Amino acid sequence: MSGSNSSRPAVAALADEPLGLTVHSMPSPGESLGVQPDAGRRRKRGRWQMLLVLLCCAAPVIASYFTYYVVRPQSRSVYGQLIDPQRPLPPVDGRTLAGEAVPLPQLKGQWLLVAVAGGGCNELCERQLYLQRQLRETLGREKDRVDRVWLVADDAPVPQRLSGSLEGATVLRVPAGALAQWLQPEPGAALGEHLYVVDPMGNWMMRFPARMDLKGAAKAKRDLDRLLRASSSWDQAGR
């Protein structure tokens, strides 16, 4: 009996002692799946780094166009008419004088100075081709960034007398309907009375006044000089 009574205080003491539990934190869902806690942060940082790289690559193009179209002093007049919105080269095939098919978008990669006329090439056509050639030559060392393009709007044979003046130019026959949907003359003028400027990305972005004379060509050269300077950081000669 005495042994039984001696154990009662010990049992009572154990009963009065609070139960102690050790609580361990539960693993996060990511840890349960084997994902490191900072993997999400690394992915997010990687996306931002990729975005910054893309912005750095595009910045020169954006800056050059912003400079030309937006940051222009009022005293600096533009002789050619800026086209807004710009019109990309149409997805149609032109044909060389030998009959080879050439998709017009393949002309991208260079500044293009474009003339349009029928294959018979009347007096106005010859004058436009002359001004086109002279404009490019006066650009000096920058001329290799500009291609001369003559788009022939019909099937008429091209006179042999033009062979010398067309040396180095791209001559393509393009259906008149396709040209009319892409290029547009100023009101009251015909398509063949203008010279057109296409940027290296393939967008028609400027039209010089109809029936431009030599005095006008000097002003057109200033426009081309500005365009070439503004794009010098991202555009190089050759495609």
Side-chain angles (χ1 to χ4, degrees):
M1 292 293 292
S2 60
S4 173
N5 291 335
S6 63
S7 65
R8 285 176 184 169
V11 172
L14 289 173
D16 293 338
E17 177 106 5
L19 184 63
L21 296 176
T22 301
V23 180
H24 298 281
S25 61
M26 297 294 290
S28 67
E31 292 171 336
S32 300
L33 296 174
V35 179
Q36 295 299 321
D38 61 341
R41 288 195 296 272
R42 287 201 301 268
R43 283 197 298 269
K44 187 174 182 180
R45 185 168 60 248
R47 293 192 190 102
W48 278 108
Q49 289 173 342
M50 183 178 294
L51 180 61
L52 287 173
V53 170
L54 291 174
L55 286 175
C56 289
C57 293
V61 180
I62 296 171
S64 64
Y65 272 79
F66 182 81
T67 299
Y68 190 82
Y69 288 110
V70 181
V71 188
R72 287 181 298 168
Q74 294 299 319
S75 60
R76 176 185 291 181
S77 61
V78 179
Y79 178 66
Q81 180 182 357
L82 295 173
I83 305 303
D84 186 25
Q86 299 174 5
R87 301 185 184 184
L89 282 160
V92 299
D93 285 351
R95 292 196 173 274
T96 66
L97 297 182
E100 179 184 356
V102 177
L104 289 189
Q106 283 190 9
L107 300 178
K108 290 181 182 179
Q110 286 276 86
W111 287 95
L112 307 178
L113 189 56
V114 180
V116 179
C121 198
N122 58 19
E123 182 180 352
L124 173 62
C125 164
E126 289 197 49
R127 185 160 155 271
Q128 293 289 84
L129 294 178
Y130 169 78
L131 289 176
Q132 180 193 51
R133 185 172 66 256
Q134 292 301 109
L135 270 174
R136 181 180 180 274
E137 290 301 315
T138 58
L139 296 173
R141 64 181 183 180
E142 298 290 352
K143 70 179 182 179
D144 290 336
R145 295 169 57 195
V146 180
D147 282 354
R148 293 183 292 139
V149 178
W150 179 23
L151 300 180
V152 182
D154 58 25
D155 294 325
V158 173
Q160 185 63 33
R161 69 177 186 275
L162 296 179
S163 58
S165 61
L166 293 177
E167 185 176 355
T170 299
V171 182
L172 295 174
R173 295 188 189 275
V174 180
L179 287 176
Q181 291 179 3
W182 177 44
L183 301 175
Q184 184 178 1
E186 62 188 17
L191 201 62
E193 295 180 2
H194 297 278
L195 290 178
Y196 305 87
V197 180
V198 177
D199 69 23
M201 289 172 284
N203 298 311
W204 169 40
M205 49 77 62
M206 181 177 284
R207 174 181 63 207
F208 291 129
R211 294 180 175 269
M212 182 170 58
D213 56 16
L214 289 175
K215 185 177 180 180
K219 297 177 182 178
K221 178 187 178 300
R222 287 200 294 270
D223 283 354
L224 291 174
D225 283 336
R226 292 168 189 164
L227 286 170
L228 294 173
R229 281 199 304 270
S231 62
S232 60
S233 61
W234 56 271
D235 172 58
Q236 302 297 323
R239 291 185 172 82

